Amino acid sequence: MAMKKDARIYVAGHKGLAGSAIMRRLQQSGYRNLLTRTHAELELIDGGAVREFVGRERPEYIFLAAARVGGVLANATYPAEFLVENLAIELNVIREAFASGVERLLFLGSSCIYPRECPQPIREEYLLTGPLEETNRAYALAKIAGIELCGAHNRQYGTRYLAAMPTNLYGPGDNYDSESSHVLAALVWKMVEARRNGAGEVSVWGSGSPRREFLHSDDMASACVSLMNLPESDFVNLCDAGTTAPLVNIGCGEDLTIAELAEQIRELSGYQGRLVFDRSRPDGTPRKLLNISILREHGWHPKITLRDGLRQVIAEYESRVGLSR
């Protein structure tokens, strides 16, 4: 194992969907020296605060899962904030990781970094080969900049910073509302609430035809910890990408249409009303399915099926709002 059980490991964004899953995985695996700060305790867009924290705590490993995130509506409404805040977080944490001599850093991005019209399944080398999806371009550009920050430091200074690009995530602690959540959580929210309120129909954004891949956050976390524990030669090879990006996709290798997803959530949530597809709303990218051959070559495979994961998050949301079957 590259990371010893008593290694000083900083998980940035440990309260979010991705970061909390990484924390669970590390704790379950016996790591006992985990460094965390809430947003109130450490503002990552404040470079001086990040410098003081990293310089004092001296982490050996960093999982950079902190980000401003949201669904289509949030991205379209606040593009400046998505760009500025994510650029600041990445720059501050990566710069101070270098200054303090962090051994390994894993930067979490998103599959939206890839071109809108991309060959499927999407390979890592397709980055920067075409125009981005307009609805989340600002967020995608910020994440692409973070990937380049990792690669530039590796090339110039010999650091070991790797970028991991998860597909669409869901899982415990997700954000459930109609305005800022991602599609899976939004559909869970809508259908459980519709069942509770006796609503006859639920509106689904877009045509329902786009295809999406969904990965449980606990599977994502296991992939991230697995990557950070690769033998030195394997990790260096992934980071030393030459003229390409130090980038690894994280997904499950399967996708389905939004309509099929909505139908599964309707069934599993017990909602008996009808689904109405609102074609005035944007569809986004037609398809996003990641090629995960690099992860598979290093022995990692997802374990949680979408159906089992949906049952889990529906039950979690029902418990959160005090609803029983």
Side-chain angles (χ1 to χ4, degrees):
M1 303 287 282
M3 296 190 301
K4 295 180 179 178
K5 297 299 182 181
D6 62 350
R8 296 177 66 77
I9 302 171
Y10 172 43
V11 182
H14 75 289
K15 291 290 189 178
L17 176 63
S20 62
I22 291 171
M23 282 291 293
R24 287 194 299 274
R25 182 68 178 186
L26 290 169
Q27 291 166 339
Q28 291 164 2
S29 300
Y31 292 96
R32 55 186 181 272
N33 202 355
L34 304 179
L35 307 173
T36 61
R37 292 293 186 276
T38 64
H39 183 267
E41 293 168 333
L42 175 61
E43 175 54 81
L44 293 178
I45 65 173
D46 181 342
V50 176
R51 184 177 307 113
E52 190 278 332
F53 167 74
V54 174
R56 182 182 69 251
E57 297 295 341
R58 310 293 292 188
E60 299 166 73
Y61 301 92
I62 293 179
F63 290 85
L64 180 43
R68 176 160 184 168
V69 299
V72 172
L73 180 60
N75 274 272
T77 306
Y78 307 107
E81 283 86 347
F82 273 82
L83 183 59
V84 170
E85 292 181 22
N86 284 302
L87 285 172
I89 291 168
E90 298 156 9
L91 177 61
N92 291 336
V93 175
I94 292 172
R95 178 173 58 189
E96 298 312 321
F98 172 68
S100 67
V102 165
E103 292 186 29
R104 293 183 181 184
L105 179 145
L106 189 70
F107 166 66
L108 268 68
S110 164
S111 59
C112 71
I113 63 166
Y114 292 111
R116 172 184 167 84
E117 304 290 344
C118 210
Q120 305 288 321
I122 302 170
R123 303 183 67 88
E124 288 85 353
E125 58 263 32
Y126 297 162
L127 180 67
L128 298 176
T129 58
L132 298 167
E133 161 60 35
E134 185 63 30
T135 56
N136 55 23
R137 187 176 65 179
Y139 178 75
L141 284 169
K143 289 300 183 180
I144 291 169
I147 297 167
E148 184 57 29
L149 270 172
C150 291
H153 279 77
N154 293 347
R155 293 192 300 273
Q156 185 170 346
Y157 300 116
T159 52
R160 298 188 293 280
Y161 302 162
L162 183 62
M165 295 300 114
T167 191
N168 302 285
L169 297 178
Y170 70 99
D174 208 342
N175 173 35
Y176 298 97
D177 67 44
S178 62
E179 299 297 322
S180 60
S181 59
H182 290 100
V183 60
L184 188 150
L187 289 172
V188 168
W189 177 85
K190 286 183 176 183
M191 292 194 208
V192 173
E193 291 300 320
R195 190 186 99 221
R196 178 160 69 165
N197 298 324
E201 64 181 41
V202 163
S203 175
V204 181
W205 277 29
S207 66
S209 62
R211 301 188 68 86
R212 292 291 183 269
E213 175 185 22
F214 296 96
L215 183 70
H216 195 284
S217 59
D218 286 341
D219 272 339
M220 177 279 308
S222 76
C224 289
V225 174
S226 177
L227 284 169
M228 284 286 263
N229 272 314
L230 285 175
E232 183 71 2
S233 60
D234 291 344
F235 196 81
V236 168
N237 284 339
L238 291 177
C239 294
D240 184 16
T243 58
T244 60
L247 177 61
V248 176
N249 289 336
I250 300 179
C252 65
E254 299 177 357
D255 64 359
L256 75 170
T257 68
I258 296 299
E260 290 168 337
L261 173 70
E263 203 52 61
Q264 283 201 42
I265 294 173
R266 181 172 72 157
E267 175 197 344
L268 294 172
S269 67
Y271 175 61
Q272 297 183 351
R274 68 190 186 100
L275 305 180
V276 178
F277 292 89
D278 183 356
R279 294 175 180 269
S280 70
R281 301 291 192 170
D283 269 339
T285 303
R287 190 183 189 193
K288 284 196 300 182
L289 176 64
L290 296 182
N291 181 302
I292 57 169
S293 59
I294 290 179
L295 267 180
R296 292 188 184 279
E297 288 167 5
H298 287 91
W300 179 86
H301 302 275
K303 294 182 178 179
I304 303 171
T305 67
L306 178 60
R307 198 164 181 85
D308 286 345
L310 287 175
R311 287 193 184 96
Q312 180 192 103
V313 296
I314 290 168
E316 179 201 18
Y317 181 75
E318 290 175 339
S319 175
R320 183 185 297 191
V321 298
L323 186 63
S324 60
R325 293 295 178 100

